[in-house]
Amino acid sequence: MNFRRYYIPGSAIFITQVVQDREPAFRDPKNVNLLREILRNVKELHPFVMLGYVFLYDHFHMLIQPTGESNFSDIMRSLKTNFT
């Protein structure tokens, strides 16, 4: 399947990210704290507004609005690379 991503500057985007094999990685508060810390670091590199989020045991949801030159793909690539 060929998915196309549309980047509309200044728009908010809803993102769902699932942990590999649906492992309950976020059941451990240390992993949740690490994810929050990495999000803060990514926000400095790729500015965005965090409009909302929820962390569940095997996935998370975020509603973000990129504010700089970076788009949501840049933000998520940086987040996933630094978390894993």
Side-chain angles (χ1 to χ4, degrees):
M1 214 177 241
N2 186 13
F3 291 101
R4 293 185 183 209
R5 291 191 175 118
Y6 295 96
Y7 302 108
I8 301 171
S11 66
I13 184 82
F14 179 77
I15 296 172
T16 298
Q17 184 64 56
V18 178
V19 176
Q20 183 176 357
D21 299 326
R22 288 213 172 257
E23 287 291 323
F26 302 123
R27 184 175 292 184
D28 184 344
K30 291 178 185 175
N31 288 336
V32 174
N33 290 335
L34 177 61
L35 182 59
R36 286 183 176 140
E37 181 180 337
I38 292 170
L39 272 167
R40 284 190 291 274
N41 294 338
V42 168
K43 194 173 180 181
E44 290 182 23
L45 296 171
H46 306 286
F48 64 91
V49 174
M50 176 68 75
L51 300 169
Y53 67 90
V54 61
F55 300 135
L56 300 158
Y57 289 152
D58 62 352
H59 69 285
F60 62 87
H61 303 282
M62 296 190 314
L63 183 60
I64 63 172
Q65 184 176 17
T67 57
E69 297 293 318
S70 302
N71 58 45
F72 64 88
S73 292
D74 300 325
I75 293 165
M76 290 306 294
R77 183 180 316 108
S78 184
L79 175 65
K80 293 192 308 184
T81 300
N82 286 290
F83 184 78
T84 56

